[in-house]
Amino acid sequence: MYSTLKEVTSRAEELNYTVGAFNAHNLEMLPDMIRAAKEQGSPIIIQTSIDTAKYIGHENFVAVCKSMASKEMVDVVLHLDHARNFDDIKEAIDKGYTSVMFDGSHLPLKENIMKTRAVVEYAHKHGVSVEGELGTIGGTEEGIHVGEDDKVYTDPKNAVEFVKATKVDALAVAIGTNHGQYKSKTNVNLPLLKEINAAVDVPLVIHGGTGVNEHDIPELINNGIRKFNVGTELLVAWTRKAKETFGETKETKSLRHNVIPCNQAVKEIVKHKISIFMNVEDRTLVLK
Ligand code: 13P
């Protein structure tokens, strides 16, 4: 089913797993990402940046996600990642995305609350879920860089106020992760995550999933992480494979011979990540 973030994270909360949120960087890789979820008996969150949505066309992402959700019988959420501007959010909602993120993490708390609340009001009227963010995640996202010294961890007291006042459906937490951390691994602050999870009753979200040590994932799940973002790892795998295939190809060879291996590389990563995210023995419960 073409689903909302709230629907898939509620089921994840009941059964204690996390739902993979994978950044689609082009349209080519999208069908195999959804097929990977189908093969693993898992829901999937497909997320796009605003620029990727504009480059492909929001309606085109919506059309593929909707048709594959119905034909493949898999729960697919289409989510707009890191939007800072109401018009971008409104466009995604009006064109059929089922979930959006308003990233007000750079704003003072009161302003973040006020703007997130306005997004929630509009989104909920249209049956769309909203993810908010408190604290700052390191690295570069949408051209904006947050250095180590500028990182602010999520304050659990602020999280209580934020969730209550905004009524967000999910909260992205800053517990040490960084966007685009490919070569090294993050030191996640688990004690802080435990505090936040004890203080608020809302699904929590990890950004910068590429840099998270896989052996930390079960503890993150046990402490309320219900949406787990992975982007860079897919991008790197697709690009590496493309360099290889396009580097060797004859120019007259059908393009699909070069592109299928790239999509396949992404599919393998999505399947692997889901196998860690879905620590549920009976997957048929997930598909209920
Ligand atoms: P990575 O690209 O570091 O995996 O992070 C993805 C993400 O958090 C998107 O918002």
Side-chain angles (χ1 to χ4, degrees):
M1 216 167 80
Y2 191 49
S3 306
T4 65
L5 181 63
K6 193 178 168 77
E7 285 162 344
V8 298
T9 52
S10 304
R11 178 55 54 87
E13 180 70 37
E14 271 169 46
L15 299 174
N16 193 32
Y17 61 87
T18 194
V19 186
F22 299 97
N23 288 78
H25 299 274
N26 61 19
L27 204 50
E28 293 294 330
M29 64 174 70
L30 180 57
D32 272 322
M33 293 164 79
I34 298 176
R35 284 180 201 123
K38 156 91 179 171
E39 284 172 27
Q40 293 289 48
S42 163
I44 186 166
I45 300 160
I46 298 292
Q47 50 190 15
T48 75
S49 67
I50 295 160
D51 287 346
T52 303
K54 286 188 173 154
Y55 143 65
I56 301 295
H58 296 73
E59 294 93 337
N60 297 325
F61 269 119
V62 171
V64 175
C65 288
K66 260 192 188 166
S67 86
M68 286 195 72
S70 113
K71 283 208 189 94
E72 306 279 341
M73 307 272 286
V74 50
D75 289 339
V76 182
V77 177
L78 181 58
H79 174 85
L80 185 72
D81 200 15
H82 287 284
R84 290 188 165 190
N85 163 334
F86 189 81
D87 288 343
D88 289 326
I89 287 185
K90 188 172 175 305
E91 183 175 14
I93 293 173
D94 294 351
K95 289 183 171 166
Y97 276 52
T98 55
S99 176
V100 292
M101 175 185 192
F102 175 69
D103 177 359
S105 58
H106 55 296
L107 302 170
L109 179 64
K110 296 283 172 215
E111 197 179 343
N112 188 3
I113 288 178
M114 203 179 71
K115 292 193 165 156
T116 307
R117 177 74 200 136
V119 167
V120 169
E121 271 168 21
Y122 187 80
H124 283 183
K125 244 190 259 161
H126 292 79
V128 168
S129 308
V130 178
E131 173 185 339
E133 179 176 325
L134 258 194
T136 49
I137 288 143
T140 302
E141 184 73 48
E142 297 289 302
I144 299 160
H145 185 73
V146 178
E148 233 6 78
D149 295 343
D150 300 321
K151 270 164 70 173
V152 180
Y153 283 44
T154 305
D155 177 328
K157 276 200 226 80
N158 289 348
V160 172
E161 186 183 346
F162 183 84
V163 168
K164 189 161 172 252
T166 61
K167 303 198 168 31
V168 283
D169 303 292
L171 176 68
V173 289
I175 55 167
T177 60
N178 302 295
H179 286 119
Q181 185 175 2
Y182 188 70
K183 294 200 170 126
S184 56
K185 289 293 167 201
T186 307
N187 226 340
V188 287
N189 188 337
L190 260 179
L192 176 59
L193 177 64
K194 282 182 198 220
E195 250 191 273
I196 300 166
N197 189 37
V200 296
D201 189 17
V202 70
L204 302 176
V205 182
I206 277 286
H207 281 248
T210 296
V212 173
N213 248 318
E214 290 186 346
H215 62 68
D216 285 334
I217 294 175
E219 268 308 283
L220 295 171
I221 294 173
N222 287 336
N223 289 287
I225 297 296
R226 302 292 168 227
K227 173 175 182 276
F228 198 108
N229 291 4
V230 181
T232 303
E233 200 169 337
L234 309 183
L235 176 65
V236 171
W238 204 95
T239 307
R240 274 196 188 149
K241 195 48 100 176
K243 279 181 164 172
E244 210 179 289
T245 58
F246 281 97
E248 291 162 2
T249 198
K250 270 209 213 133
E251 288 169 3
T252 50
K253 196 170 174 185
S254 171
L255 270 179
R256 73 177 179 284
H257 294 292
N258 300 322
V259 174
I260 288 172
C262 306
N263 300 335
Q264 206 56 39
V266 163
K267 184 178 180 190
E268 287 313 311
I269 295 173
V270 174
K271 282 184 75 171
H272 170 70
K273 291 291 176 190
I274 290 176
S275 73
I276 305 169
F277 296 161
M278 299 285 294
N279 55 349
V280 177
E281 268 176 40
D282 184 358
R283 301 255 168 111
T284 57
L285 292 172
V286 177
L287 301 171
K288 257 200 323 189

